[in-house]
Amino acid sequence: MSHTTVRAPLPQRDRIAEYERWLRGRGPSSAAMRWWMGGPGTLLANTALFRLPEELQLDEDWRVVEVGCGRGALLRMLDDRVGFLSPPVGVDASRAAVRLAREDERRARGARPRLRFVQGAATILPLAPASAELVLAGHLVKHLGDEELEPFFREIWRVLVPGGLALLWEFAPTGSLPLDRWNAWLLARGVRRPRLRSTRSLLNAAGRAGFEFRIDARLRPFLLPPIPRASILLGRPPATAADVPPEPQQG
């Protein structure tokens, strides 16, 4: 995979700066966020993903990317269980998150770290085209504006190989305006107010970006926090004969 540093668009830069201050802070909210991004927090916030190797029949040949990887705990769990031949790649917009992820990987695996981490914006991923069989993005799109959703999905399309899959999950609205306001406040302790979107709205945005295969992933259960999740599974069509250039004629 090709990793290049690309400067994020200005609106994202403002949010990334908020996120950096939150992760680097010394207060209880910052400490809680750093813990939440580690192994125990990942277990609680992403419980449904622990059956992912069986549900998607992950193979060691798959190249896996996680966008918004945090400290890389989910990627490490998947790699420990599957043993990917190509090291999984974690992308996060936060320099502080990437630093924590690399430190955790060194502590977990000593002098021979496996996972690779790179800083990059969700709408301009620092990855080569057709470089992943699976793209994961959890609890990320709440930080993206409506005008950024389609560019993000187009980047996922670009990074996926033909026949590749993408799985996304995020906090969702409940249908109760007061409860949704409370949940948004709870999720915005260190950053500006997040956007809670339904599964239908995410599926529609993915469709506008070109994904014809898109379904409700129905990921369950998520233990904490007790907020509903939206989840979608996307697929890029397999290559066809029309996509393969003809062999040069002899003679």
Side-chain angles (χ1 to χ4, degrees), residues 3-4 39 47 103 112 161 219 248:
H3 302 160
T4 58
T47 318
E103 290 174 356
R112 304 192 64 175
V161 299
L219 292 180

Side-chain angles (χ1 to χ4, degrees), residues 1 67 72 74 104 109 112 122 128 132 169 213:
M1 293 186 183
V67 185
L74 178 60
D104 287 354
R109 292 176 173 160
R112 304 192 64 175
W169 61 101
F213 175 81

Side-chain angles (χ1 to χ4, degrees), residues 125-131 153-160 236:
L125 294 174
L127 303 169
S131 56
F153 284 123
R154 286 196 291 268
E155 276 295 271
I156 292 177
W157 177 282
R158 182 184 65 83
V159 169
L160 284 176
R236 180 168 175 174

Side-chain angles (χ1 to χ4, degrees), residues 123 145-155 204-206 208-209:
T123 55
D146 291 339
E147 74 285 356
E148 296 168 320
L149 268 186
E150 288 182 44
F152 171 52
F153 284 123
R154 286 196 291 268
E155 276 295 271
N204 289 340
R208 291 192 297 272

Side-chain angles (χ1 to χ4, degrees), residues 38-206:
T42 296
L43 173 62
L44 293 173
N46 300 291
T47 318
L49 279 298
F50 282 73
R51 283 195 50 79
L52 194 62
E54 294 81 12
E55 296 291 340
L56 293 185
Q57 298 182 0
L58 298 186
D59 187 87
E60 63 182 8
D61 293 326
W62 287 36
R63 292 165 294 174
V64 179
V65 168
E66 184 182 9
V67 185
C69 65
R71 297 176 67 164
L74 178 60
L75 278 184
R76 189 170 299 109
M77 180 276 293
L78 293 175
D79 189 43
D80 285 342
R81 292 187 57 190
V82 180
F84 298 109
L85 297 179
S86 179
V89 176
V91 180
D92 203 286
S94 166
R95 183 178 290 106
V98 169
R99 176 181 55 80
L100 288 170
R102 289 171 176 165
E103 290 174 356
D104 287 354
E105 180 69 0
R106 284 194 293 269
R107 279 194 291 268
R109 292 176 173 160
R112 304 192 64 175
R114 279 271 305 158
L115 305 184
R116 298 176 183 173
F117 298 100
V118 59
Q119 185 182 7
T123 55
I124 313 177
L125 294 174
L127 303 169
S131 56
E133 278 73 27
L134 176 64
V135 173
L136 303 171
H139 302 133
L140 167 70
V141 297
K142 66 179 176 292
H143 300 302
L144 299 180
D146 291 339
E147 74 285 356
E148 296 168 320
L149 268 186
E150 288 182 44
F152 171 52
F153 284 123
R154 286 196 291 268
E155 276 295 271
I156 292 177
W157 177 282
R158 182 184 65 83
V159 169
L160 284 176
V161 299
L165 297 172
L167 182 64
L168 295 86
W169 61 101
E170 185 54 274
F171 296 107
T174 64
S176 166
L177 185 58
L179 184 54
D180 289 344
R181 286 174 175 168
W182 167 260
N183 288 339
W185 176 86
L186 184 67
L187 295 170
R189 295 301 75 223
V191 294
R192 71 184 65 185
R193 199 172 188 84
R195 294 164 175 81
L196 303 184
R197 298 181 175 97
S198 66
T199 295
R200 180 186 294 273
S201 68
L202 294 178
L203 290 172
N204 289 340

Side-chain angles (χ1 to χ4, degrees), residues 201-241:
S201 68
L202 294 178
L203 290 172
N204 289 340
R208 291 192 297 272
F211 281 97
E212 294 185 8
F213 175 81
R214 56 192 191 281
I215 61 173
D216 185 345
R218 301 185 182 276
L219 292 180
R220 302 288 188 278
F222 289 93
L223 297 182
L224 288 175
I227 301 174
R229 298 327 196 263
S231 58
I232 63 174
L233 181 66
L234 310 174
R236 180 168 175 174
T240 65

